[in-house]
Amino acid sequence: MVTSKDVAALAGVSQSTVSYVMSGSRSISPETRARVEEAMRELGYHPNASARALAGRRTHVLGLVVHVTARTELAGVLPFIETITAAARERDYDVVLVTADEGRAGLERLARRGIVDAFLVMDVTRRDERVETLAALGLPTVLMGRPDDPRGLHWVDVDGGRAGELAVEELVAAGSETLVVIGEPIGAPSGEHRFIADFEVGAGRAAERADVAAEVVRPPEPGWPGVLAIRDRLVRGGGVRGGIVARTPRVAERVLHLLIEAGFDPARDIGLVAMCEDDVAQRLRVPVTNVSADSRQHARRAVDALFAQLRGGAEPADPQLVTPTLTRRATTSARRVRRPARG
Amino acid sequence: MVTSKDVAALAGVSQSTVSYVMSGSRSISPETRARVEEAMRELGYHPNASARALAGRRTHVLGLVVHVTARTELAGVLPFIETITAAARERDYDVVLVTADEGRAGLERLARRGIVDAFLVMDVTRRDERVETLAALGLPTVLMGRPDDPRGLHWVDVDGGRAGELAVEELVAAGSETLVVIGEPIGAPSGEHRFIADFEVGAGRAAERADVAAEVVRPPEPGWPGVLAIRDRLVRGGGVRGGIVARTPRVAERVLHLLIEAGFDPARDIGLVAMCEDDVAQRLRVPVTNVSADSRQHARRAVDALFAQLRGGAEPADPQLVTPTLTRRATTSARRVRRPARG
DNA sequence: GTGAAAGCGCTAACAT
DNA sequence: ATGTTAGCGCTTTCAC
């Protein structure tokens, strides 16, 4: 095994100089730096992680806690993982994926044995058991998702209230006078996520302000004939224009198919706004107006917050809510009649 | 931080005794052991992973390399991850999930920096680039999936040839005289996996032996009307009974729906055998006869092989192919007429 | 059956 | 701008 001692010998410097060249924590003359780096290259040197962690009290590994269940849509998680891994590598950190199977005990082991020195936790629910464990461990931690009681931990989440408002305001501006928000299917987690609750509240608030009727429904899985009834209600009575808010890409896709199948033109007869990633909204059979928060940006924010803590006690004072944006596409642009677009 | 020194002091023994109590690598009197364990409990001791790795030249971490792409069906990977993690923990090993995004360079870093001391690689293709990298690294490694040239690395894979034979033999026994094997959809990886290639060869071989016509098709995604044509061909001409082999659960589900929709009774009119997990086969609209290899068993085999290497040079002499089994369900049991069941 | 002591390969004061 | 040195918390010879 090639050690920093070998590098030092070949470069004709002391071992500590080699260390300082790597960490950059003290100034090195260009010539020395060059000689050391050359020696490293020549020997194919890789610093030993254990030794570094032991001496430096820092593992340079962060634990990314992903609650993988059979339900998990990997596609949605992937951009997060990629962004986080890349951002970590930029700071010379490795990422270990912690699957939830070991639960709280797993987090304890990882922390106490000094395998990781920070946690990034995805998909945190309102009363997530892990929050307490993590708070007790005292390692730098960022939660993705807002718990009711963060216990002093830093969290980052998309502003659900704003997302709901945006969706409803857009439909209203496009002429809808009665709205249905289609949420998570029955059986799926719903009340557990702060974002979802806030979304519904925000949607309701905006509907009230605009004086339009709004209702939240959860479709039964999987046959899901309920949407037909919803559609009928939305268009019945002639003259009353309906609008649909789809809380998830799945719902959006489904609604779109059903509307088209039933002979509607989603761009004209019924407004539709979906909460989903831009690329998904773009690729549906009809481009769907959508509300989204870029997940890469979201993830980067989380990592930045984490490294701020790692560098030394940045308090969770910085904005923790990510503001979503609305992108107008076909499903709300055709009927823009009664009110101004920025109503 | 509580160290083994603290434990030693409290238990009134030397630090090395504490170490030996943990490793079990030398005999300790019951009383001493009890005192030490009590002290550990009292102090809430957790051995420091870096120190242990540095002194012991073993990280007690294994890298589980999962090639996560947007296409990845997480549901299928999950039992593997769970089984592997559990089996590793039993041996006091932690698992870090290595996503493929960093590719070969990532594996190098993990190995050279001494972050992991073994690799378990999932979903290995016939000419997987990673195989060469891994062989060069020289760490204990088990590949899940059989490369054309394993470079001396241990691999574990399901016997695809046998799987194909089993499926065809069952259909023939159930009276099919012409067969269609429906493989991966166009666009999905197909020729890359040894298992799939062997499956088709095995199916062809069995068909030839039984003197029935067989053909392999790949459905186009996503509308997939092709199956209708297949169905028509299978039932046309009266009297010639058809059989379908579905290579994946998705295909099986699809075929089943289409057959039922078209007014066929899959248990009577057309034989169907799917390559998929038992629980999936069981839960389809009609229980489908299936060929499977239990993934937990498969995973456990891989882990066992890995720890055999870790303990010291077990050569890849043990059986590396996992034999699949067929479970007869509704879709082949109704028409068992012409030949004996074990034909 | 148990202890003492020498490292494992780094980092980070403290030197100069 | 660089070198010296004392650990980090464990494992593992030796010794008894």
Side-chain angles (χ1 to χ4, degrees):
Chain A
M1 174 183 243
V2 181
T3 73
S4 64
K5 216 168 171 176
D6 302 328
V7 174
L10 180 57
V13 299
S14 78
Q15 200 183 12
S16 67
T17 297
V18 175
S19 175
Y20 285 120
V21 165
M22 294 192 286
S23 71
S25 65
R26 95 177 177 189
S27 53
I28 303 280
S29 77
E31 306 83 55
T32 304
R33 170 180 301 279
R35 278 215 317 284
V36 170
E37 283 171 347
E38 175 53 25
M40 287 177 170
R41 207 163 298 119
E42 208 169 316
L43 296 173
Y45 171 71
H46 289 261
N48 180 283
S50 303
R52 172 148 85 142
L54 183 57
R57 284 99 190 292
R58 209 152 252 210
T59 64
H60 285 253
V61 171
L62 60 86
L64 177 59
V65 186
V66 186
H67 193 100
V68 267
T69 68
R71 292 196 80 93
T72 310
E73 279 277 354
L74 190 60
V77 182
L78 213 57
F80 283 98
I81 297 183
E82 286 173 355
T83 308
I84 289 165
T85 312
R89 288 298 309 132
E90 281 168 21
R91 279 123 159 165
D92 195 22
Y93 262 72
D94 272 292
V95 174
V96 326
L97 242 53
V98 186
T99 59
D101 45 282
E102 282 205 70
R104 300 136 282 292
L107 299 182
E108 283 237 31
R109 246 208 6 274
L110 253 28
R112 298 244 195 265
R113 293 197 167 190
I115 292 173
V116 305
D117 45 36
F119 284 113
L120 205 47
V121 190
M122 294 188 54
D123 196 35
V124 173
T125 55
R126 297 185 70 162
R127 6 194 57 180
D128 203 307
E129 302 175 284
R130 298 171 296 181
V131 172
E132 192 180 338
T133 309
L134 290 162
L137 289 174
L139 290 190
T141 299
V142 171
L143 311 174
M144 306 189 69
R146 180 180 184 179
D148 284 341
D149 178 3
R151 305 265 186 157
L153 296 179
H154 198 301
W155 53 265
V156 176
D157 203 353
V158 179
D159 186 339
R162 186 77 195 110
E165 282 178 3
L166 279 171
V168 167
E169 285 166 2
E170 171 72 3
L171 285 169
V172 169
S176 295
E177 289 163 1
T178 172
L179 300 174
V180 174
V181 178
I182 308 182
E184 326 310 300
I186 289 172
S190 63
E192 304 169 14
H193 291 274
R194 175 65 181 256
F195 170 83
I196 297 175
D198 286 355
F199 185 95
E200 293 176 356
V201 169
R205 190 169 50 215
E208 204 167 319
R209 270 204 303 264
D211 196 28
V212 304
E215 176 189 6
V216 176
V217 302
R218 304 195 190 297
E221 286 267 55
W224 211 33
V227 160
L228 294 173
I230 291 165
R231 182 200 65 208
D232 293 343
R233 193 162 68 249
L234 283 174
V235 297
R236 121 200 114 192
V240 176
R241 303 169 180 207
I244 296 178
V245 178
R247 250 280 303 127
T248 71
R250 255 190 103 104
V251 166
E253 186 177 6
R254 199 69 182 245
V255 166
L256 205 57
H257 281 311
L258 286 171
L259 290 177
I260 292 171
E261 228 168 63
F264 285 89
D265 177 347
R268 215 161 279 277
D269 305 320
I270 292 190
L272 175 62
V273 175
M275 175 80 210
C276 69
E277 296 287 320
D278 292 343
D279 56 342
V280 175
Q282 188 70 269
R283 275 202 308 262
L284 290 171
R285 269 163 84 173
V286 175
V288 170
T289 295
N290 72 310
V291 177
S292 68
D294 180 43
S295 55
R296 289 173 197 283
Q297 188 187 317
H298 184 177
R300 191 158 273 280
R301 190 113 148 213
V303 178
D304 288 346
L306 194 57
F307 279 101
Q309 289 179 57
L310 237 17
R311 257 183 243 109
E315 285 309 298
D318 30 332
Q320 304 187 95
L321 276 177
V322 177
T323 303
T325 56
L326 181 139
T327 307
R328 181 170 302 146
R329 307 181 204 275
T331 56
T332 58
S333 47
R335 299 181 311 139
R336 189 160 315 283
V337 277
R338 313 210 152 179
R339 327 192 186 199
R342 283 183 193 83
Chain B
M1 176 182 240
V2 180
T3 72
S4 64
K5 217 168 170 175
D6 302 327
V7 174
L10 180 58
V13 298
S14 77
Q15 198 183 16
S16 65
T17 298
V18 175
S19 176
Y20 285 121
V21 165
M22 295 192 288
S23 71
S25 65
R26 99 175 173 189
S27 52
I28 304 281
S29 76
E31 305 83 57
T32 304
R33 171 181 300 281
R35 277 215 318 285
V36 169
E37 282 172 347
E38 175 52 25
M40 287 177 169
R41 209 163 297 119
E42 207 169 315
L43 296 173
Y45 171 71
H46 289 261
N48 180 283
S50 303
R52 172 147 86 142
L54 182 56
R57 286 96 191 294
R58 208 152 251 209
T59 65
H60 285 254
V61 171
L62 60 86
L64 176 58
V65 187
V66 186
H67 193 99
V68 266
T69 69
R71 291 197 81 95
T72 310
E73 280 277 355
L74 191 60
V77 183
L78 213 56
F80 283 96
I81 297 183
E82 286 172 355
T83 308
I84 289 165
T85 312
R89 288 299 307 132
E90 281 168 21
R91 280 122 157 164
D92 196 22
Y93 262 72
D94 272 292
V95 174
V96 325
L97 241 55
V98 187
T99 59
D101 46 282
E102 282 204 70
R104 301 134 281 292
L107 298 182
E108 283 236 34
R109 248 210 3 276
L110 253 27
R112 296 246 196 266
R113 293 196 167 191
I115 292 173
V116 304
D117 44 35
F119 284 113
L120 204 46
V121 190
M122 293 187 56
D123 198 35
V124 174
T125 55
R126 297 185 70 160
R127 5 193 60 179
D128 203 308
E129 299 175 286
R130 297 171 296 179
V131 172
E132 193 180 339
T133 309
L134 289 162
L137 289 175
L139 290 191
T141 299
V142 171
L143 311 173
M144 306 188 69
R146 180 181 185 176
D148 284 343
D149 178 4
R151 306 266 185 154
L153 297 179
H154 198 300
W155 54 265
V156 176
D157 203 354
V158 179
D159 186 339
R162 185 75 194 110
E165 282 179 0
L166 279 172
V168 167
E169 285 167 2
E170 171 71 3
L171 285 169
V172 168
S176 296
E177 288 163 1
T178 172
L179 299 176
V180 175
V181 177
I182 307 181
E184 325 312 300
I186 288 171
S190 62
E192 304 170 14
H193 291 274
R194 175 66 182 257
F195 170 83
I196 298 175
D198 286 354
F199 185 95
E200 293 175 356
V201 170
R205 190 170 48 214
E208 204 167 318
R209 270 205 303 263
D211 197 29
V212 304
E215 177 189 3
V216 176
V217 303
R218 302 197 191 295
E221 285 266 57
W224 211 35
V227 160
L228 295 173
I230 291 165
R231 182 200 62 205
D232 293 344
R233 193 161 68 249
L234 284 176
V235 297
R236 121 199 114 194
V240 176
R241 306 170 179 206
I244 296 179
V245 178
R247 248 280 303 128
T248 70
R250 256 191 102 104
V251 166
E253 186 177 7
R254 200 69 183 243
V255 166
L256 205 55
H257 282 311
L258 287 170
L259 289 178
I260 292 172
E261 228 167 63
F264 285 89
D265 177 347
R268 215 163 279 278
D269 306 321
I270 292 189
L272 174 62
V273 174
M275 176 80 210
C276 69
E277 296 287 319
D278 293 342
D279 56 342
V280 175
Q282 188 71 267
R283 275 203 308 265
L284 289 171
R285 269 164 83 173
V286 175
V288 171
T289 294
N290 72 311
V291 176
S292 68
D294 179 45
S295 55
R296 290 173 196 281
Q297 189 186 315
H298 184 178
R300 190 157 275 280
R301 190 112 148 213
V303 179
D304 288 347
L306 193 57
F307 279 101
Q309 288 180 58
L310 236 17
R311 256 184 243 110
E315 285 310 298
D318 31 332
Q320 303 187 96
L321 276 177
V322 177
T323 304
T325 57
L326 180 136
T327 307
R328 181 172 302 146
R329 306 181 205 276
T331 56
T332 58
S333 48
R335 300 179 312 135
R336 190 161 315 285
V337 278
R338 312 211 153 181
R339 325 193 187 199
R342 285 185 192 82

